[in-house]
Amino acid sequence: MKKLQLIMDAHSLDLALTRMAHQILEHNTGFDNICIVGMQTRGVFLAKRLAQKIGGLENVTLDCGILDVTLYRDDYRTAFAQPAVRTTDIPFNISKKDVILVDDVLFTGRSVRAALDALMDMGRPRTIQLAVLIDRGHRELPIRADYVGKKITTLAKQEVALKVSEKDGEDSLWLTELEEGD
């Protein structure tokens, strides 16, 4: 991977999450019915941060869960390698809840479609709202985010790589590109 451009440093990433938390608060009334679910891997960390920000602003504790969509993806059977299945941990009932689904990057929409299928297998939420840090376009499915930290324009061959301090030791978001031979 070749790093092309720093899109967000730690400060701008925190500002984007703060703005998203305020947007979620503006759109939803009452917090007894709201829960947050982060998509593996880095969406989990973003979901926890959003839950903390909303909790701090409104003095509430939101249920926060972890969702792995590996086995719901429409492409996992076509890969030669065994898919890496991660943890799903949603220790609360999502039925009749307003679920805020959190992911780091919205690209084709296929991961979000898989997440919707997975959530519906767990119950029937009242609503599912999508929050993403980055919307990079190139949609293959009619999916849009309700809350977006930043929209960027990329080439299809480029990737957006999020680093979070909890896993990578730093908070940053980079535009990257495969180098020859990668």
Side-chain angles (χ1 to χ4, degrees):
M1 272 308 155
K2 176 181 163 187
K3 289 182 180 176
L4 296 179
Q5 177 183 356
L6 178 66
I7 298 170
M8 289 183 167
D9 61 11
H11 179 68
S12 58
L13 196 145
D14 186 60
L15 285 175
L17 289 173
T18 300
R19 185 174 54 256
M20 291 169 65
H22 282 279
Q23 291 171 347
I24 291 167
L25 290 171
E26 289 171 8
H27 185 264
N28 294 279
T29 56
F31 299 98
D32 297 336
N33 207 41
I34 292 179
C35 61
I36 297 184
V37 175
M39 291 173 59
Q40 288 278 22
T41 303
R42 285 167 177 75
V44 171
F45 303 108
L46 298 177
K48 288 178 183 176
R49 291 182 192 188
L50 279 171
Q52 289 173 345
K53 285 183 181 294
I54 292 169
L57 291 166
E58 292 294 318
N59 198 27
V60 295
T61 301
L62 297 179
D63 287 332
C64 196
I66 299 170
L67 180 65
D68 178 55
V69 301
T70 302
L71 298 178
Y72 287 86
R73 290 189 54 95
D74 59 6
D75 61 353
Y76 95 91
R77 287 182 193 90
T78 62
F80 294 111
Q82 186 72 12
V85 178
R86 296 179 179 90
T87 301
T88 290
D89 182 19
I90 302 178
F92 49 88
N93 187 350
I94 65 168
S95 291
K96 299 182 181 175
K97 292 271 194 174
D98 294 307
V99 177
I100 310 295
L101 179 64
V102 181
D103 200 7
D104 55 350
V105 179
L106 178 56
F107 181 39
T108 63
R110 293 187 179 277
S111 293
V112 173
R113 189 227 30 99
L116 295 173
D117 287 348
L119 288 172
M120 296 310 268
D121 278 354
M122 294 175 197
R124 190 175 190 279
R126 189 169 79 88
T127 65
I128 300 174
Q129 302 165 40
L130 178 60
V132 297
L133 182 62
I134 295 294
D135 182 346
R136 61 174 288 204
H138 300 282
R139 217 72 77 240
E140 294 175 4
L141 299 173
I143 291 177
R144 66 161 180 78
D146 299 287
Y147 314 104
V148 178
K150 185 174 184 132
K151 288 185 179 189
I152 63 170
T153 302
T154 64
L155 301 175
K157 67 180 181 175
Q158 295 173 324
E159 292 188 9
V160 177
L162 173 64
K163 293 186 175 200
V164 291
S165 58
E166 299 92 335
K167 188 167 180 72
D168 308 302
E170 70 173 87
D171 286 339
S172 62
L173 191 107
W174 291 87
L175 180 64
T176 64
E177 191 172 274
L178 288 174
E179 294 185 270
E180 294 297 320
D182 280 349

